[in-house]
Amino acid sequence: MKTYQENIMHQADVCIIGGGFAGTFAAINAARSGVKVVLMQDRPVLGGNASSEIRLYPRGTVIPEDRETGLMNEMEEENIYRNKEINNCIWDSVLLGRVLEEKNIELLTNCTCLGAERVGDKITEIKGWQLTTYQYHTVKAKIFIDCSGDAVL
């Protein structure tokens, strides 16, 4: 059994905890604006409730004439292009592909946020544990965003 205690350090402008739609979209938008992002997701896939683990289709409306715009529309069009049957399990790869395309995003999957260090009332770093590698990850950033859905940060 591996018993690694290695601590990998990361530096970013923005650290986002949670890879559901809120966290993934926040990471993509931040990266596209030119800032360095670390996205920490405690599951092996992105998408939260819309992932292959839960399978809730993320469509914001059921009225055919109404459509989401912006990044949601971009993702939906990619999903329709790659997934003619609209199989919910394909969303994982659509989201992962878009995140991996962004040079300013460092993705940590299977990595659970364990705690935070702060100075006064400002978070300065967070520590995560990556189950698949048995390694700790410390992320120092200027801004931290909790998109975990459980307020773990």
Side-chain angles (χ1 to χ4, degrees):
M1 178 176 168
K2 291 182 182 179
T3 57
Y4 295 162
Q5 296 299 316
E6 183 179 1
N7 185 24
I8 299 171
M9 302 297 290
H10 307 269
Q11 187 73 45
D13 297 305
V14 178
C15 177
I16 300 168
I17 308 301
F21 268 46
T24 300
F25 285 13
I28 291 170
N29 281 318
R32 287 180 178 178
S33 73
V35 299
K36 185 171 167 46
V37 177
V38 171
L39 176 58
M40 184 179 287
Q41 164 69 335
D42 66 352
R43 307 296 308 146
V45 295
L46 298 172
N49 285 337
S51 73
S52 59
E53 293 180 319
I54 309 293
R55 300 185 200 139
L56 292 175
Y57 192 68
R59 194 92 196 256
T61 180
V62 293
I63 302 169
E65 296 80 28
D66 291 345
R67 293 204 39 149
E68 299 289 339
T69 61
L71 196 49
M72 183 64 207
N73 183 60
E74 182 182 323
M75 297 294 183
E76 187 172 44
E77 287 180 359
E78 177 73 13
N79 185 46
I80 291 168
Y81 173 76
R82 293 174 54 189
N83 180 17
K84 305 284 187 253
E85 290 80 32
I86 313 297
N87 181 329
N88 291 358
C89 295
I90 303 300
W91 271 107
D92 297 355
S93 62
V94 171
L95 294 174
L96 179 62
R98 288 300 162 105
V99 166
L100 295 178
E101 286 174 0
E102 297 296 332
K103 64 181 170 76
N104 288 332
I105 298 177
E106 183 175 0
L107 177 62
L108 300 173
T109 56
N110 293 302
C111 194
T112 302
C113 179
L114 299 177
E117 296 291 326
R118 60 186 191 155
V119 173
D121 61 356
K122 181 172 175 44
I123 297 172
T124 57
E125 67 182 51
I126 59 107
K127 183 168 266 189
W129 170 252
Q130 193 169 37
L131 182 62
T132 53
T133 62
Y134 281 72
Q135 294 172 321
Y136 288 101
H137 291 267
T138 298
V139 182
K140 294 180 183 235
K142 298 172 190 166
I143 298 170
F144 293 87
I145 303 172
D146 188 334
C147 294
S148 66
D150 297 315
V152 298
L153 184 55

